[in-house]
Amino acid sequence: CKEEESSKSKNKSNNKADPSKEKIEVYSQIGYIQVDQAEFEDTNLNQIYFEKKNHKMEGRLNKYHLTEKISVHLKTLYGSRKVHTFEVNIKAKLSVLIDKLVEEETSSGEKQRWNPNFQYRLISTNGLIKELNPMQTFADEEIKHNFTLILASPYKIYFSESMKHQGIYLEDLNSVAHNQSGNEDNLLVLCDRGYKSGKHYIEFTLETEPCESSIIIGITHLRSDYYFNINEFKNFWGYIPSEGTKLANNDVVEVGLPCKIKDKVGLLMQFNLTGMDLILFINNSIIGTLFKNLPLGPCYYPCAVLKFDGMKIRVSNRVPIPNQL
């Protein structure tokens, strides 16, 4: 009996994957699973041990049904509103769909094509409607075989009615912030959307002459105090157009040439696995990276500081991302 029990215990342990071996994620009939890489690559094995940790499942499957590639349908909302089908690697980022779309539309001679510099959202409508992170992989977002995703424009950004100093008034459907306080104080206004993942380009147009640090643009965490202390601030990263300097951690560093009225100052927030890079553009020309690897976690809100009475600034995100060459 003891020998029989010992044999059963040994067979049971053989069904388990060695935790010291390298695991990979593959797609199966039951969704994404983790398997031993060596077993997956061994052509002599037909059955393979798997784990599906999120659902606390384990067992053995036929390798014939396992794959690292899936088909994804991409629904467009412009032109003839076509649905494109692409084969993708589950380890690739969702943004690869845009590369494949541009390539297909170019080769087929489509009259209305997607511009690779356009900002966009990817929406999953399979089950719950969910906005996806283009910087994540298909496996990370658990995109299944034959899922349909929608390619949509970004939500339009405005200045916020509730996240601003009372001395700032909003005009032109909240696209323009106007300091009408009658004082010379640094007053802060946040945009109505914050970001913590993806890639987002926000463009500010200087509607008045930005003299003597009268306008500062940047990003900040959510806050309740909209009086901006230029000498002591935290959780704010910005650019002073009139001086061509960046502002953060109570420090001022020159990074570019001063701006003038009607210049367009763009901020590109580019999130990655380790942090967020903030890249500066002036009149569609790249100036450089203002800040690198800002910490992930809280949302970053585009914002503006207006110092003098009469100062105006406009915000928009319905513009293509300029080339970064």
Side-chain angles (χ1 to χ4, degrees), residues 303-315:
C303 61
V305 178
L306 304 178
K307 182 178 181 181
F308 300 134
D309 184 74
M311 290 294 106
K312 281 186 180 184
I313 191 166
R314 180 182 297 274
V315 68

Side-chain angles (χ1 to χ4, degrees), residues 70-229:
I70 59 174
S71 292
V72 176
H73 310 293
L74 185 64
K75 168 70 175 175
T76 60
L77 302 177
Y78 58 88
S80 54
R81 302 169 73 92
K82 284 187 176 180
V83 177
H84 302 261
T85 301
F86 303 114
E87 184 180 71
V88 296
N89 191 299
I90 63 172
K91 299 174 185 176
K93 294 179 180 180
L94 270 70
S95 57
V96 74
L97 291 173
I98 303 303
D99 299 331
K100 290 179 175 291
L101 174 65
V102 171
E103 182 180 352
E104 182 172 291
E105 289 183 336
T106 300
S107 62
S108 63
E110 288 286 334
K111 291 183 179 179
Q112 191 169 352
R113 306 175 193 172
W114 184 261
N115 184 330
N117 289 341
F118 282 166
Q119 299 187 72
Y120 62 90
R121 292 179 295 134
L122 288 174
I123 310 295
S124 171
T125 59
N126 303 272
L128 293 175
I129 296 177
K130 176 186 175 184
E131 183 169 342
L132 306 170
N133 182 354
M135 297 297 107
Q136 295 279 24
T137 67
F138 291 90
D140 291 336
E141 292 283 11
E142 295 194 2
I143 304 301
K144 295 182 179 179
H145 180 62
N146 279 332
F147 260 24
T148 296
L149 308 183
I150 297 176
L151 178 62
S153 298
Y155 292 113
K156 191 171 182 181
I157 198 169
Y158 301 95
F159 286 117
S160 171
E161 287 276 8
S162 59
M163 296 185 291
K164 69 178 182 66
H165 191 280
Q166 61 183 6
I168 290 182
Y169 290 78
L170 304 183
E171 302 170 355
D172 196 9
L173 301 177
N174 294 359
S175 294
V176 173
H178 185 187
N179 185 335
Q180 297 186 43
S181 65
N183 301 314
E184 291 187 11
D185 292 325
N186 289 293
L187 308 183
L188 180 66
V189 55
L190 275 61
C191 290
D192 60 356
R193 292 192 178 277
Y195 305 95
K196 58 192 307 183
S197 63
K199 188 175 182 180
H200 311 277
Y201 183 71
I202 313 299
E203 186 176 82
F204 295 89
T205 302
L206 306 176
E207 297 291 341
T208 51
E209 196 67 51
C211 58
E212 300 178 23
S213 304
S214 59
I215 296 177
I216 305 171
I217 61 172
I219 56 175
T220 185
H221 293 332
L222 200 61
R223 56 205 295 160
S224 57
D225 181 12
Y226 302 109
Y227 173 78
F228 187 79
N229 188 340

